[in-house]
Amino acid sequence: MSNWEEYVRTVEPYVPGEQPNQPDMIKLNTNENPYPPAPGVVEALKNFDTDKLRLYPEPTCKVLVDAIADYYGIRSSQVFTGVGSDDVLAMIFMTFFNSKKPILFPDITYSFYDVWADMLRIPFETKALDDNFQIRKEDYYGDNGGVVFPNPNAPTGILMPLSEIEDIIAHNRDVIVVVDEAYIDFGGVSALPLIEKYDNLLVVQTFSKSRSLAGMRLGFAMGNEKLIRYINDVKYSFNSYTLNQTALVLGVQAIRDREYFEETCAKVIATREWTKCELKKLGFSFGDSMSNFIFATHERVPAKEIFEALREHNIFVRYFSKPRIDNYLRISIGTQQEMEHLIAFLTDYLKE
Amino acid sequence: MSNWEEYVRTVEPYVPGEQPNQPDMIKLNTNENPYPPAPGVVEALKNFDTDKLRLYPEPTCKVLVDAIADYYGIRSSQVFTGVGSDDVLAMIFMTFFNSKKPILFPDITYSFYDVWADMLRIPFETKALDDNFQIRKEDYYGDNGGVVFPNPNAPTGILMPLSEIEDIIAHNRDVIVVVDEAYIDFGGVSALPLIEKYDNLLVVQTFSKSRSLAGMRLGFAMGNEKLIRYINDVKYSFNSYTLNQTALVLGVQAIRDREYFEETCAKVIATREWTKCELKKLGFSFGDSMSNFIFATHERVPAKEIFEALREHNIFVRYFSKPRIDNYLRISIGTQQEMEHLIAFLTDYLKE
């Protein structure tokens, strides 16, 4: 070992999930939107002035921040943007989770919270979901260094009522509470209105799911302007120019088109509800997902077997070999046609 | 003050440099390339398959990593890519600069080294350039937590001979030495061949200057594969999907076009040398810049006055009100026509 290795920030190497790329595959493994981005996005890329690419992007991301503020009816000073919600969350962890007390999040949740905590040497404690995979709000009332959870939760898809979220925020006025709303647009109620009431609340959202732009890496946080200023201070000390010229332009187009957004979300929701009915008939059970995926277990056949059978037939879903959830499949909602294909396969496969 | 403020990572707020955006301005303030990106970049954007935007990018950035490795004749395992060289350098600081000993860099240098060190709570010590703005290699031989410097240095533009760089690396085998080569393609000699010999060397480059892609945010590091693996471990724990779909595709096109790259670099160099001659005639003096800017002081008129006069006439250069360099202007090299315009203005302005 070279001596320099002594000072390396060693981390449990995170292995990015499989990104299969086969013709004719049905890709239901990473919660992407099955519909293309808004027409304005496509148009803006076609008409993009490529000479702009030689110039640095505008570092405050003003056009995009303004468009988000405008869409949600808040002030631009209440919006922070980053390279996907992962970048936004990493900046938030760095900025606010510097206490010696552990931050709190559920045991079954977005797989990156403990990765960031480990990497940034932030102490953390997980709180077990109840047997129905529900967050127990009381678990988050004790002394802590901060709280973070997704709503709806991932990979369960289960939504928490806003009143319970407010209880958690109200019980934690001395730390920052982050509500990670990556999937909120598929039927959930956002905690956004609470940012006016609580200066310790950050609501994080993304363009990756409901706005069909996973490929552009765009996420944002909304909160009290003092919080946003603190995150920006750290962000400018880390990387001043994060969103590139294309991301800024396409992001603005994606957020402006309310009609297309509502229409595609409605389609995903309708297909999700149809899929729930069909999966139930086939002997699956699951919490009532309000996201763009269903987290399901079968009454008879182990999840891993179904996962592998699907995979052999070019249908990709997500399987986690983790405690408590290793008999579940996370199935992203594709187009109606893709889900019909999935159900047809499962109907045949599960025939006894 | 709310109690949560106690745990905020407070940093000296970095204020991003001015990004004027006026018609007919001559923009010589941020070292951008005056020429558009390679024709293949323009073409690739026009033909971009926008349906891809709904899908996550490939997280290992393989297409781009392979293209860079191919261009430089190294292995893909020796290349790390990020959102501009700022992202790459921030990841390197996080990964390797975790000793209690101070990292070392010059007193006059890229303005972000101390910003990262402050933000990441890394102790640092600056070493004064000599009176000719040269790095004294012996200053970097003592016990330290790591070494970082640009070559050519910024904002001086002065190149260090490879033999001296090798001396610094050889004297620091127990820590990581980072040679930041943002401007190396404008006449410098890269330390890249030394990565085969020294496992403690990282060479960082960018697409922002010589490849006319400041707007796409693309940077990379090259080094021993063990070093690259450590950076990737931290990167995947921070943000798995950093480079978006457009950045990956356009980056590949930019790096593949060797001919266009060499041609535009040669044009910038020719214009730089012409500008040096003209500035000298007007009473300016400067180190022998091997970058795409000239760092000049005038024998009679204070830099700040010239800076303001230029600005009033829509010519933007960079002025730093910092110790030792507050009588200098950093003038980026634009097109030949832009520089002729600058010289014409200065000729008139400096007439007694």
Side-chain angles (χ1 to χ4, degrees):
Chain A
M1 181 166 126
S2 313
N3 282 346
W4 56 257
E5 289 201 72
E6 196 182 328
Y7 303 112
V8 170
R9 183 185 296 259
T10 47
V11 293
E12 190 73 41
Y14 173 83
V15 182
E18 169 182 54
Q19 286 291 9
N21 184 16
Q22 293 167 28
D24 305 325
M25 70 175 170
I26 297 186
K27 191 170 182 303
L28 309 175
N29 68 328
T30 47
N31 299 342
E32 288 145 338
N33 199 308
Y35 302 106
V41 170
V42 178
E43 203 54 34
L45 198 66
K46 291 294 162 220
N47 299 323
F48 196 88
D49 172 13
T50 45
D51 189 51
K52 267 174 67 171
L53 296 177
R54 70 180 185 82
L55 301 174
Y56 281 96
E58 194 277 307
T60 68
C61 305
K62 183 168 161 41
V63 286
L64 183 59
V65 162
D66 287 352
I68 293 169
D70 188 51
Y71 185 90
Y72 288 104
I74 58 178
R75 294 183 299 282
S76 294
S77 55
Q78 294 173 300
V79 178
F80 171 81
T81 57
V83 183
S85 59
D86 281 350
D87 181 43
V88 173
L89 287 162
M91 288 293 147
I92 290 172
F93 272 54
M94 283 191 86
T95 306
F96 299 111
F97 294 164
N98 299 295
S99 144
K100 297 256 179 275
K101 295 174 197 161
I103 62 166
L104 308 180
F105 47 84
D107 64 337
I108 298 169
T109 195
Y110 183 41
S111 54
F112 255 83
Y113 301 151
D114 61 350
V115 172
W116 286 315
D118 271 335
M119 195 258 299
L120 296 167
R121 313 310 193 215
I122 300 167
F124 67 93
E125 217 177 283
T126 60
K127 297 293 182 182
L129 297 183
D130 71 16
D131 291 342
N132 298 316
F133 287 166
Q134 307 267 358
I135 289 175
R136 286 179 294 218
K137 61 178 181 169
E138 297 78 11
D139 289 346
Y140 298 85
Y141 291 174
D143 210 24
N144 65 66
V147 174
V148 56
F149 57 89
N151 192 49
N153 196 7
T156 65
I158 292 172
L159 190 75
M160 214 175 164
L162 200 52
S163 60
E164 297 193 14
I165 291 178
E166 183 163 1
D167 282 342
I168 292 179
I169 302 164
H171 277 86
N172 284 286
R173 296 307 303 270
D174 288 341
V175 296
I176 302 304
V177 177
V178 182
V179 184
D180 178 0
E181 297 187 344
Y183 302 102
I184 198 70
D185 297 321
F186 301 105
V189 179
S190 174
L192 180 61
L194 299 178
I195 67 168
E196 299 293 350
K197 190 165 166 193
Y198 297 99
D199 74 348
N200 61 320
L201 168 64
L202 281 166
V203 173
V204 175
Q205 296 194 5
T206 175
F207 284 61
S208 295
K209 323 291 182 185
S210 55
R211 289 191 167 82
S212 305
L213 280 181
M216 282 317 281
R217 317 307 307 120
L218 286 164
F220 54 107
M222 299 177 285
N224 180 282
E225 61 186 37
K226 199 192 252 188
L227 292 179
I228 299 302
R229 208 160 50 230
Y230 278 127
I231 311 172
N232 264 319
D233 286 350
V234 169
K235 171 240 152 91
Y236 288 126
S237 291
F238 203 89
N239 191 359
S240 307
Y241 302 90
T242 48
L243 298 191
N244 65 29
Q245 300 274 21
T246 51
L248 287 172
V249 168
L250 305 194
V252 168
Q253 293 302 322
I255 197 102
R256 275 194 191 148
D257 196 337
R258 194 180 289 263
E259 199 184 340
Y260 182 84
F261 165 72
E262 287 175 353
E263 182 193 314
T264 46
C265 287
K267 275 158 77 175
V268 170
I269 291 169
T271 299
R272 178 188 71 208
E273 296 306 313
W274 176 86
T275 307
K276 283 180 185 170
C277 289
E278 297 299 317
L279 287 175
K280 233 169 237 164
K281 290 185 211 160
L282 292 172
F284 283 96
S285 61
F286 37 81
D288 190 27
S289 169
M290 286 290 136
S291 64
N292 68 341
F293 55 82
I294 298 169
F295 195 57
T297 186
H298 192 261
E299 60 190 7
R300 184 172 43 84
V301 187
K304 191 148 191 268
E305 280 179 33
I306 304 174
F307 169 74
E308 278 159 6
L310 285 167
R311 205 185 146 107
E312 262 171 51
H313 288 79
N314 237 358
I315 302 175
F316 293 84
V317 301
R318 188 79 186 264
Y319 172 75
F320 302 91
S321 69
K322 284 186 178 177
R324 294 189 72 186
I325 58 171
D326 59 358
N327 200 24
Y328 283 79
L329 297 173
R330 193 194 66 187
I331 305 166
S332 306
I333 304 301
T335 60
Q336 181 66 26
Q337 200 189 6
E338 286 174 322
M339 301 318 276
E340 284 171 10
H341 196 99
L342 168 82
I343 296 296
F345 172 82
L346 287 174
T347 305
D348 189 54
Y349 173 74
L350 294 167
K351 247 190 290 195
E352 281 175 282
Chain B
M1 181 165 126
S2 314
N3 281 345
W4 57 256
E5 289 200 74
E6 196 181 327
Y7 302 113
V8 171
R9 183 185 296 260
T10 47
V11 291
E12 190 73 40
Y14 173 82
V15 182
E18 170 182 54
Q19 285 293 8
N21 185 14
Q22 293 167 27
D24 305 324
M25 70 176 171
I26 296 185
K27 190 169 183 303
L28 308 175
N29 68 328
T30 48
N31 299 343
E32 289 145 338
N33 199 309
Y35 302 106
V41 170
V42 178
E43 203 53 35
L45 198 66
K46 292 292 163 223
N47 298 322
F48 197 87
D49 172 13
T50 45
D51 189 52
K52 266 174 68 172
L53 296 177
R54 69 179 185 82
L55 301 173
Y56 281 96
E58 195 276 307
T60 68
C61 305
K62 183 170 163 37
V63 286
L64 183 59
V65 162
D66 288 352
I68 293 168
D70 188 50
Y71 185 91
Y72 288 104
I74 58 177
R75 292 183 300 282
S76 294
S77 55
Q78 295 173 300
V79 178
F80 171 81
T81 57
V83 183
S85 59
D86 281 350
D87 181 43
V88 173
L89 287 162
M91 288 294 146
I92 289 171
F93 273 54
M94 283 192 86
T95 306
F96 299 111
F97 293 164
N98 299 294
S99 144
K100 299 255 178 277
K101 295 174 198 159
I103 62 167
L104 309 180
F105 47 85
D107 64 337
I108 298 169
T109 195
Y110 183 42
S111 54
F112 254 84
Y113 300 150
D114 62 351
V115 173
W116 287 314
D118 271 333
M119 195 258 298
L120 296 167
R121 316 306 194 217
I122 300 166
F124 67 92
E125 218 177 282
T126 60
K127 298 292 183 182
L129 298 183
D130 71 15
D131 292 340
N132 298 315
F133 287 166
Q134 307 267 357
I135 289 176
R136 286 180 293 219
K137 62 179 181 169
E138 297 77 12
D139 289 346
Y140 299 85
Y141 291 175
D143 210 23
N144 64 66
V147 174
V148 56
F149 57 89
N151 192 49
N153 195 8
T156 65
I158 291 171
L159 190 75
M160 213 177 165
L162 200 53
S163 60
E164 297 193 13
I165 292 179
E166 182 162 1
D167 283 341
I168 292 180
I169 302 163
H171 276 86
N172 283 285
R173 297 306 303 271
D174 288 341
V175 296
I176 302 305
V177 176
V178 182
V179 184
D180 179 358
E181 296 187 345
Y183 302 101
I184 198 70
D185 297 321
F186 302 105
V189 180
S190 175
L192 180 61
L194 299 177
I195 68 169
E196 300 292 351
K197 191 166 167 192
Y198 297 99
D199 73 349
N200 61 320
L201 168 64
L202 282 165
V203 173
V204 175
Q205 296 194 5
T206 176
F207 284 61
S208 296
K209 323 291 181 185
S210 55
R211 288 191 168 84
S212 305
L213 279 180
M216 283 316 282
R217 317 306 308 121
L218 285 164
F220 55 106
M222 298 177 285
N224 180 282
E225 61 185 37
K226 198 193 254 188
L227 292 179
I228 300 300
R229 209 161 49 231
Y230 278 127
I231 312 173
N232 265 319
D233 285 351
V234 169
K235 171 241 153 92
Y236 288 126
S237 291
F238 203 90
N239 191 359
S240 306
Y241 301 90
T242 47
L243 298 191
N244 65 29
Q245 299 274 21
T246 50
L248 287 172
V249 168
L250 305 194
V252 168
Q253 292 302 322
I255 197 102
R256 276 195 190 146
D257 196 337
R258 192 180 292 263
E259 199 184 340
Y260 182 82
F261 164 73
E262 287 174 352
E263 182 193 313
T264 45
C265 287
K267 274 157 79 176
V268 169
I269 292 169
T271 299
R272 178 189 70 208
E273 296 306 313
W274 177 86
T275 308
K276 283 180 187 171
C277 290
E278 297 301 316
L279 287 175
K280 233 169 238 165
K281 290 185 212 161
L282 292 172
F284 284 95
S285 61
F286 38 82
D288 189 28
S289 171
M290 287 290 137
S291 64
N292 68 341
F293 56 83
I294 298 169
F295 195 57
T297 187
H298 193 260
E299 58 191 8
R300 183 172 44 83
V301 186
K304 193 150 191 265
E305 279 178 34
I306 305 174
F307 169 74
E308 279 159 5
L310 286 167
R311 206 186 145 107
E312 262 170 51
H313 289 78
N314 236 359
I315 302 174
F316 293 84
V317 301
R318 189 78 188 264
Y319 172 74
F320 303 90
S321 68
K322 284 185 178 176
R324 295 190 71 186
I325 58 172
D326 59 0
N327 200 23
Y328 284 79
L329 297 174
R330 194 194 64 186
I331 305 165
S332 305
I333 304 301
T335 60
Q336 182 66 25
Q337 199 189 9
E338 287 174 321
M339 302 317 277
E340 284 171 10
H341 196 100
L342 168 82
I343 296 296
F345 172 82
L346 287 174
T347 305
D348 189 55
Y349 172 75
L350 294 167
K351 249 190 290 195
E352 281 174 283

